[in-house]
Amino acid sequence: MSRPKARWWTLCLLSLLLSGIAAAATTAPVRLDSGLLEGDLLDAASGLRVFRGIPYAAPPVGDLRWRPPQRVAAWEGVRAAKEFGAICPQPPMLAAMTGETLPPSNEDCLYLNVWTAARADAALPVMVWIHGGGLSLGWSQQAVYDGAAFAGRGVVLVSINYRLGPLGFLSLPELSRESEHRSSGNYGFLDQVAALEWVQRNVAAFGGDPNNVTIFGESAGGTSVHALLTSPRAAGLYHRAIAESPWITESNIAPLRQASPFGPSAEDQGATWASRLVAAGGDSSLAALRRIPAAEIIAKSNLGFQPLIAIDGWFMPENGERTFAAGKGTKVPLIAGSNTDEGTMFQSGLGYGTVSAYRDGLSKIYGDQAQAVLALYPASSDQELSTTLNRYLTDTWFLRATRGMLLGAARAGAPTYQYHFTLRSRAVPAWGAHHAAELGFVFNNPAGFGGATPVPEWNEAERRLADAMIGYWVQFATTGDPNRDGLPVWPKFDAGTESYLELGETIRAADRLCAGRCEQLDRILGAVQAKEPQTGGR
């Protein structure tokens, strides 16, 4: 064969090989209610596939800003789902903390991702992940949230973006008046409901069972689980729930129109922020506010904006803590838990650098009950203040409300399980078993949430804990009970024993995690809430 002909055959063969590789990397089209979709085949042997950037609702832009999400428009042909969707516009703080590059953002951000290794007829359990970030930060495709490990264990894993900050949680009297439900705010939570509705309509095409859906999230994702469990708008869209470090405080739930003892109404808070957003004498009409570029809104979100759950009588009929206390939340199997050192990550942002500042801060929040809080969390010197603040924030921002969820669910008769994550971080040792430290173990992903210098590899104890935690989570999603062969028994939580499972260097059961302090905090908050509403907030 002549050299030119040999070269020609070589090029043909190479072209065939490359086309075969490209074809192998693309999935067969999946039919959704909005059109055909193809994703990436990650592993031919296992059938592991990922579909990135799937639109689950119409872009919430223009006149749809600050409105409930609308159905996504159908598309022609086959849509590629190979790139993650834009994330909700947000400040860069979380990316700086984790050492990640902030992905491209856009107000058109209502996208989700699916990892699956299932046949279309497999009917596997579905887990829907809701990211944290204080309802202002975060995105579905953060490195730690890779869903491959869950998919490899027989789960269809869905992760979602939702509207954040002022774009997701602004309440205004004008917005309430234009709403058919006389409601405003909670748009980010309504996005989550829309995503769950999408799952009901479409997850079977990925091999998932729409009758076995677990919602799970951490921090503000745990707040979201708390809200979804107590909202009639989400009823029937999920069948199990996991809340990791749910962030529920006295100031991130507010009545839509009435002030509370802890601050102004959601509408008044939103109106104050909106007045700062618009230049003096500027047009503050809804039409004008909807024309302001999203980047400008986010740039000015530090003008006192507090994302919160608005008690609006529609999405949220009443304070969710009262719903749980009355045993009225959705009766589904529940896992909820917290970490030992939730407060280390946040204490520097409080501005309580001295004991005097700490005492003044508590007086502004709790009024004449501040001394009772100081008795629970004393600090006699500035040197011991850090330890005190860690314990105070861990209990008041995370553990107290977690316990309330568990007690309410258990009293309602739902199978209920508590965990306590105690493994100290090797990436950020000074933070201990910090907020979000469990994420890498839940996702069986060494990338973890380790700050800008994550630990590159797990040691043997960390590997065992990661295998145990994802094992418990998958078993719970499958059956509603986390217990499985080969792992320590996880006892049910009930109001009598308050049993929980410690997840750390050892895995062991214990009872009544800081229950005495939580009971006292409940009494203190009850006393404050019995007072007349105040005009100012935290």
Side-chain angles (χ1 to χ4, degrees), residues 379-525:
S380 58
S381 69
D382 294 349
Q383 290 70 36
E384 69 180 29
L385 186 58
S386 176
T387 299
T388 296
L389 288 176
N390 177 30
R391 189 167 61 249
Y392 164 73
L393 290 173
T394 296
D395 289 358
T396 60
W397 284 20
F398 302 101
L399 179 57
R400 184 198 63 81
T402 298
R403 178 175 178 266
M405 290 180 70
L406 291 158
L407 285 169
R411 287 168 179 155
T416 307
Y417 302 87
Q418 182 180 19
Y419 74 85
H420 185 218
F421 184 85
T422 63
L423 188 69
R424 297 180 62 85
S425 168
R426 288 196 295 128
V428 196
W431 283 0
H434 62 77
H435 185 68
E438 87 286 357
L439 289 175
F441 299 89
V442 168
F443 280 84
N444 210 252
N445 183 357
F449 187 97
T453 54
V455 174
E457 294 182 4
W458 278 327
N459 59 33
E460 183 61 27
E462 290 165 337
R463 167 55 61 190
R464 285 197 305 270
L465 181 59
D467 287 341
M469 288 185 69
I470 195 171
Y472 283 127
W473 265 234
V474 169
Q475 182 70 11
F476 178 78
T478 304
T479 68
D481 183 334
N483 287 288
R484 53 175 291 179
D485 292 343
L487 291 177
V489 173
W490 190 337
K492 280 185 180 180
F493 178 100
D494 62 52
T497 62
E498 297 193 31
S499 297
Y500 67 92
L501 191 71
E502 178 183 344
L503 296 166
E505 289 190 11
T506 60
I507 300 176
R508 63 184 184 88
D511 296 331
R512 290 184 59 79
L513 176 64
C514 304
R517 289 205 306 268
C518 289
E519 287 168 350
Q520 292 184 65
L521 283 173
D522 283 334
R523 286 193 289 270
I524 290 167
L525 287 176

Side-chain angles (χ1 to χ4, degrees), residues 103-420:
S105 66
N106 194 295
E107 195 171 0
D108 175 7
C109 63
L110 300 186
Y111 296 92
L112 55 77
N113 319 295
V114 179
W115 282 263
T116 181
R119 302 185 315 274
D121 61 349
L124 294 183
V126 179
M127 299 185 74
V128 179
W129 173 252
I130 307 172
H131 70 76
L135 302 177
S136 294
L137 308 170
W139 55 95
S140 64
Q141 63 264 33
Q142 284 179 244
V144 68
Y145 304 150
D146 186 285
F150 274 107
R153 287 164 173 78
V155 164
V156 176
L157 192 286
V158 180
S159 64
I160 66 173
N161 287 338
Y162 55 97
R163 283 174 282 181
L164 302 170
L167 296 172
F169 298 95
L170 178 66
S171 292
L172 288 174
E174 297 85 351
L175 286 170
S176 298
R177 282 195 293 269
E178 77 170 13
S179 163
E180 64 177 302
H181 308 290
R182 312 301 291 171
S183 166
S184 62
N186 296 330
Y187 303 109
F189 298 130
L190 293 171
D191 294 341
Q192 296 166 14
V193 172
L196 291 171
E197 291 171 339
W198 182 96
V199 166
Q200 287 297 307
R201 299 192 307 269
N202 293 291
V203 80
F206 301 93
D209 182 358
N211 296 310
N212 186 5
V213 175
T214 297
I215 54 173
F216 72 134
E218 181 269 343
S219 191
T223 309
S224 301
V225 171
H226 188 283
L228 294 170
L229 283 168
T230 53
S231 171
R233 304 278 74 79
L237 298 177
Y238 57 87
H239 311 91
R240 322 192 195 290
I242 303 173
E244 301 173 27
S245 304
W247 168 60
I248 301 291
T249 76
E250 72 287 336
S251 63
N252 69 355
I253 304 176
L256 183 65
R257 298 183 181 88
Q258 290 80 40
S260 81
F262 295 109
S265 71
E267 286 186 346
D268 283 348
Q269 291 186 54
T272 299
W273 177 82
S275 69
R276 295 168 180 163
L277 178 67
V278 179
D283 186 353
S284 61
S285 67
L286 282 184
L289 290 174
R290 285 183 167 125
R291 288 195 297 269
I292 298 175
E296 182 178 340
I297 288 175
I298 296 305
K300 295 181 178 179
S301 63
N302 62 345
L303 299 174
F305 186 79
Q306 166 70 65
L308 50 77
I309 304 172
I311 306 170
D312 62 352
W314 177 56
F315 173 80
M316 187 58 55
E318 65 176 355
N319 188 313
E321 291 206 76
R322 293 177 185 165
T323 304
F324 274 111
K328 296 187 297 186
T330 305
K331 185 179 173 181
V332 297
L334 172 68
I335 288 175
S338 56
N339 300 354
T340 303
D341 301 301
E342 302 274 11
T344 52
M345 183 183 293
F346 304 104
Q347 57 183 278
S348 63
L350 289 179
Y352 298 165
T354 64
V355 171
S356 176
Y358 168 58
R359 290 172 176 167
D360 289 345
L362 294 190
S363 293
K364 291 177 182 177
I365 298 170
Y366 302 103
D368 60 9
Q369 295 296 313
Q371 287 302 316
V373 180
L374 283 167
L376 276 180
Y377 306 98
S380 58
S381 69
D382 294 349
Q383 290 70 36
E384 69 180 29
L385 186 58
S386 176
T387 299
T388 296
L389 288 176
N390 177 30
R391 189 167 61 249
Y392 164 73
L393 290 173
T394 296
D395 289 358
T396 60
W397 284 20
F398 302 101
L399 179 57
R400 184 198 63 81
T402 298
R403 178 175 178 266
M405 290 180 70
L406 291 158
L407 285 169
R411 287 168 179 155
T416 307
Y417 302 87
Q418 182 180 19
Y419 74 85
H420 185 218

Side-chain angles (χ1 to χ4, degrees), residues 48-80:
L48 178 61
R49 295 159 287 153
V50 60
F51 298 81
R52 305 176 180 91
I54 306 171
Y56 67 85
V61 300
D63 193 48
L64 293 183
R65 178 186 284 177
W66 299 315
R67 293 188 191 273
Q70 304 298 305
R71 285 284 288 266
V72 66
W75 57 79
E76 298 291 333
V78 180
R79 181 186 178 110

